[in-house]
Amino acid sequence: GAGVSQSPSNKVTEKGKDVELRCDPISGHTALYWYRQSLGQGLEFLIYFQGNSAPDKSGLPSDRFSAERTGGSVSTLTIQRTQQEDSAVYLCASSLDPYSNQPQHFGDGTRLSIL
Amino acid sequence: GESVGLHLPTLSVQEGDNSIINCAYSNSASDYFIWYKQESGKGPQFIIDIRSNMDKRQGQRVTVLLNKTVKHLSLQIAATQPGDSAVYFCAEMPNGRRALTFGSGTRLQVQP
Protein backbone atom coordinates (compact mmCIF):
# COMPACT_ATOMS: atom_id res chain seq x y z
CA GLY A 1 0.00 0.00 0.00
CA ALA A 2 0.92 3.66 -0.19
CA GLY A 3 0.86 4.41 3.52
CA VAL A 4 3.00 3.57 6.53
CA SER A 5 2.58 -0.09 7.42
CA GLN A 6 3.05 -1.47 10.93
CA SER A 7 3.03 -5.01 12.21
CA PRO A 8 1.70 -6.67 14.18
CA SER A 9 -1.44 -4.62 14.68
CA ASN A 10 -1.91 -6.15 18.11
CA LYS A 11 0.54 -7.87 20.44
CA VAL A 12 -0.18 -9.43 23.81
CA THR A 13 2.74 -10.71 25.81
CA GLU A 14 3.73 -11.57 29.34
CA LYS A 15 5.71 -9.26 31.55
CA GLY A 16 9.42 -9.86 31.16
CA LYS A 17 9.29 -11.00 27.54
CA ASP A 18 10.97 -9.13 24.68
CA VAL A 19 8.91 -7.74 21.80
CA GLU A 20 9.73 -6.49 18.32
CA LEU A 21 7.54 -4.06 16.44
CA ARG A 22 7.99 -3.40 12.74
CA CYS A 23 7.46 -0.33 10.60
CA ASP A 24 7.51 0.01 6.81
CA PRO A 25 7.62 3.70 5.91
CA ILE A 26 6.21 5.31 2.81
CA SER A 27 8.48 4.64 -0.14
CA GLY A 28 10.91 7.49 -0.70
CA HIS A 29 10.51 8.97 2.77
CA THR A 30 13.91 9.55 4.31
CA ALA A 31 12.80 10.27 7.86
CA LEU A 32 11.20 7.75 10.20
CA TYR A 33 9.82 8.34 13.69
CA TRP A 34 8.50 6.23 16.54
CA TYR A 35 5.95 7.58 19.02
CA ARG A 36 4.03 6.02 21.88
CA GLN A 37 0.42 6.74 22.81
CA SER A 38 -0.86 5.59 26.16
CA LEU A 39 -4.60 5.16 26.70
CA GLY A 40 -6.39 8.44 26.10
CA GLN A 41 -3.16 10.41 25.91
CA GLY A 42 -1.36 12.42 23.29
CA LEU A 43 1.65 11.08 21.48
CA GLU A 44 5.08 10.86 23.07
CA PHE A 45 8.18 10.95 20.86
CA LEU A 46 10.57 8.02 21.18
CA ILE A 47 13.18 8.03 18.39
CA TYR A 48 13.89 9.55 14.98
CA PHE A 49 15.96 8.31 12.03
CA GLN A 50 17.11 10.43 9.11
CA GLY A 51 19.10 8.85 6.32
CA ASN A 52 22.50 7.63 7.50
CA SER A 53 22.71 10.09 10.38
CA ALA A 54 22.88 8.94 13.96
CA PRO A 55 19.34 8.56 15.30
CA ASP A 56 17.86 10.98 17.80
CA LYS A 57 17.16 8.66 20.76
CA SER A 58 16.28 11.42 23.20
CA GLY A 59 12.72 10.19 23.74
CA LEU A 60 13.45 6.59 24.65
CA PRO A 61 12.18 6.07 28.21
CA SER A 62 14.75 3.51 29.32
CA ASP A 63 17.61 1.35 28.06
CA ARG A 64 15.13 -1.48 27.58
CA PHE A 65 13.99 0.33 24.44
CA SER A 66 16.02 0.28 21.24
CA ALA A 67 15.37 0.70 17.55
CA GLU A 68 17.16 0.17 14.31
CA ARG A 69 16.56 1.05 10.72
CA THR A 70 18.07 -1.21 8.12
CA GLY A 71 18.90 -0.03 4.62
CA GLY A 72 17.25 3.30 5.23
CA SER A 73 13.80 1.76 5.03
CA VAL A 74 12.22 -0.73 7.45
CA SER A 75 12.58 -0.06 11.16
CA THR A 76 12.22 -2.33 14.17
CA LEU A 77 11.48 -1.11 17.70
CA THR A 78 12.54 -3.60 20.37
CA ILE A 79 11.42 -3.56 23.99
CA GLN A 80 13.32 -5.91 26.27
CA ARG A 81 12.02 -7.31 29.55
CA THR A 82 8.62 -5.71 29.05
CA GLN A 83 6.82 -4.10 31.98
CA GLN A 84 3.12 -3.41 32.39
CA GLU A 85 3.71 0.32 31.97
CA ASP A 86 4.96 -0.40 28.45
CA SER A 87 1.36 -1.15 27.45
CA ALA A 88 0.45 1.44 24.81
CA VAL A 89 -0.06 1.96 21.11
CA TYR A 90 3.27 2.32 19.33
CA LEU A 91 3.00 4.51 16.27
CA CYS A 92 5.43 4.91 13.43
CA ALA A 93 5.53 7.88 11.07
CA SER A 94 7.58 8.87 8.07
CA SER A 95 8.18 12.13 6.25
CA LEU A 96 9.64 13.12 2.92
CA ASP A 97 12.17 15.70 4.01
CA PRO A 98 12.28 16.76 7.65
CA TYR A 99 14.46 19.75 6.92
CA SER A 100 11.81 21.48 4.85
CA ASN A 101 8.95 20.99 7.29
CA GLN A 102 7.09 18.21 5.58
CA PRO A 103 4.23 16.57 7.51
CA GLN A 104 4.73 13.24 9.24
CA HIS A 105 2.39 10.52 8.06
CA PHE A 106 1.42 7.84 10.55
CA GLY A 107 0.64 4.16 10.42
CA ASP A 108 -2.21 2.68 12.45
CA GLY A 109 0.13 1.49 15.16
CA THR A 110 0.79 -1.66 17.15
CA ARG A 111 -1.37 -2.02 20.24
CA LEU A 112 0.88 -3.63 22.85
CA SER A 113 -0.61 -5.22 25.95
CA ILE A 114 1.63 -6.53 28.72
CA LEU A 115 -0.04 -9.03 31.04
CA GLY B 1 -5.10 23.42 30.39
CA GLU B 2 -3.87 19.86 30.13
CA SER B 3 -6.38 17.07 30.21
CA VAL B 4 -5.52 13.83 31.90
CA GLY B 5 -6.19 10.29 30.74
CA LEU B 6 -9.60 9.76 29.21
CA HIS B 7 -10.97 13.15 30.19
CA LEU B 8 -10.39 14.84 26.88
CA PRO B 9 -12.04 18.21 26.33
CA THR B 10 -15.08 17.56 24.17
CA LEU B 11 -16.67 19.81 21.60
CA SER B 12 -20.18 18.84 20.59
CA VAL B 13 -21.67 20.45 17.49
CA GLN B 14 -24.65 19.96 15.23
CA GLU B 15 -24.15 18.65 11.74
CA GLY B 16 -23.74 21.54 9.35
CA ASP B 17 -22.41 23.96 11.97
CA ASN B 18 -18.86 25.27 11.95
CA SER B 19 -16.43 23.89 14.53
CA ILE B 20 -13.49 25.62 16.13
CA ILE B 21 -10.90 23.58 18.00
CA ASN B 22 -8.28 25.46 19.97
CA CYS B 23 -4.77 24.60 21.04
CA ALA B 24 -2.22 26.41 23.17
CA TYR B 25 1.31 25.45 22.28
CA SER B 26 4.24 25.65 24.60
CA ASN B 27 7.41 26.54 22.75
CA SER B 28 7.88 30.01 21.31
CA ALA B 29 10.72 28.58 19.18
CA SER B 30 8.35 26.28 17.31
CA ASP B 31 8.24 27.08 13.62
CA TYR B 32 5.98 24.40 12.19
CA PHE B 33 2.55 23.25 13.30
CA ILE B 34 0.27 20.42 12.22
CA TRP B 35 -3.30 19.38 12.95
CA TYR B 36 -4.10 15.68 13.02
CA LYS B 37 -7.39 13.79 13.20
CA GLN B 38 -7.46 10.45 14.97
CA GLU B 39 -10.33 8.02 14.74
CA SER B 40 -10.69 5.10 17.11
CA GLY B 41 -8.20 2.34 16.39
CA LYS B 42 -6.41 4.36 13.73
CA GLY B 43 -3.23 6.38 13.56
CA PRO B 44 -3.29 10.17 13.38
CA GLN B 45 -4.29 11.45 9.96
CA PHE B 46 -2.72 14.65 8.62
CA ILE B 47 -5.25 17.45 8.10
CA ILE B 48 -3.36 20.69 7.54
CA ASP B 49 -0.09 22.35 8.46
CA ILE B 50 1.19 25.89 8.82
CA ARG B 51 4.61 27.47 9.10
CA SER B 52 5.41 30.20 11.56
CA ASN B 53 5.80 32.82 8.83
CA MET B 54 2.06 32.56 8.16
CA ASP B 55 -0.97 33.32 10.32
CA LYS B 56 -3.64 31.60 8.27
CA ARG B 57 -3.88 28.70 5.88
CA GLN B 58 -6.93 27.21 4.22
CA GLY B 59 -7.63 23.73 2.97
CA GLN B 60 -10.76 21.95 1.91
CA ARG B 61 -13.37 22.84 4.58
CA VAL B 62 -10.58 23.50 7.09
CA THR B 63 -8.69 26.62 8.12
CA VAL B 64 -5.80 26.86 10.54
CA LEU B 65 -5.07 30.12 12.36
CA LEU B 66 -1.79 30.80 14.12
CA ASN B 67 -1.30 33.54 16.71
CA LYS B 68 2.34 33.54 17.71
CA THR B 69 1.91 36.41 20.15
CA VAL B 70 -0.17 34.29 22.49
CA LYS B 71 1.07 30.89 21.24
CA HIS B 72 -2.35 29.83 20.07
CA LEU B 73 -3.43 27.63 17.20
CA SER B 74 -6.97 26.92 16.05
CA LEU B 75 -8.60 24.61 13.56
CA GLN B 76 -11.84 25.67 11.96
CA ILE B 77 -13.98 23.07 10.22
CA ALA B 78 -16.75 24.39 8.01
CA ALA B 79 -20.09 22.60 7.64
CA THR B 80 -19.13 19.87 10.11
CA GLN B 81 -20.18 16.37 9.12
CA PRO B 82 -20.67 13.19 11.18
CA GLY B 83 -17.50 11.82 9.58
CA ASP B 84 -15.57 14.63 11.25
CA SER B 85 -16.20 13.04 14.65
CA ALA B 86 -12.79 12.11 16.04
CA VAL B 87 -10.06 13.29 18.39
CA TYR B 88 -8.07 16.23 17.03
CA PHE B 89 -4.47 16.89 18.02
CA CYS B 90 -2.32 19.90 17.39
CA ALA B 91 1.41 19.30 17.12
CA GLU B 92 4.37 21.66 17.11
CA MET B 93 7.91 21.25 15.88
CA PRO B 94 10.48 23.34 17.72
CA ASN B 95 13.06 24.96 15.48
CA GLY B 96 16.05 22.66 15.14
CA ARG B 97 14.19 19.55 16.19
CA ARG B 98 12.41 17.05 13.97
CA ALA B 99 10.22 15.41 16.59
CA LEU B 100 6.68 16.66 17.04
CA THR B 101 5.33 17.67 20.43
CA PHE B 102 1.63 16.83 20.62
CA GLY B 103 -1.14 18.51 22.55
CA SER B 104 -3.49 16.41 24.64
CA GLY B 105 -6.30 16.40 22.09
CA THR B 106 -9.91 17.50 21.75
CA ARG B 107 -12.77 15.14 21.04
CA LEU B 108 -15.20 16.44 18.41
CA GLN B 109 -18.69 14.95 18.49
CA VAL B 110 -21.00 15.78 15.62
CA GLN B 111 -24.70 15.34 16.29
CA PRO B 112 -26.78 14.43 13.23
Side-chain angles (χ1 to χ4, degrees), chain A residues 101 103, chain B residues 32-35 46-51 57 64:
Chain A
N101 289 334
Chain B
Y32 181 53
F33 304 87
I34 306 178
W35 279 100
F46 169 78
I47 300 174
I48 192 167
D49 58 359
I50 188 168
R51 293 168 175 73
R57 191 168 187 218
V64 55

Side-chain angles (χ1 to χ4, degrees), chain A residues 9-111:
Chain A
S9 54
N10 285 282
K11 177 73 176 179
V12 181
T13 192
E14 294 179 346
K15 175 182 171 180
K17 301 286 189 183
D18 296 354
V19 295
E20 282 191 355
L21 313 179
R22 176 188 168 104
C23 173
D24 256 297
I26 294 171
S27 177
H29 281 194
T30 61
L32 186 148
Y33 313 78
W34 284 97
Y35 292 83
R36 177 169 72 173
Q37 186 173 30
S38 300
L39 185 63
Q41 302 281 350
L43 280 73
E44 170 193 15
F45 167 72
L46 297 176
I47 188 168
Y48 153 64
F49 296 90
Q50 167 56 30
N52 295 320
S53 302
D56 175 356
K57 303 179 182 181
S58 61
L60 294 179
S62 79
D63 59 8
R64 296 186 295 104
F65 288 72
S66 63
E68 62 178 21
R69 189 180 185 192
T70 53
S73 181
V74 171
S75 177
T76 302
L77 176 69
T78 301
I79 308 173
Q80 296 178 307
R81 305 180 303 282
T82 51
Q83 304 293 312
Q84 287 186 332
E85 62 262 28
D86 299 334
S87 295
V89 177
Y90 289 82
L91 290 155
C92 177
S94 68
S95 67
L96 188 59
D97 175 6
Y99 300 108
S100 64
N101 289 334
Q102 296 292 321
Q104 297 175 22
H105 296 276
F106 284 82
D108 286 336
T110 294
R111 184 175 301 276

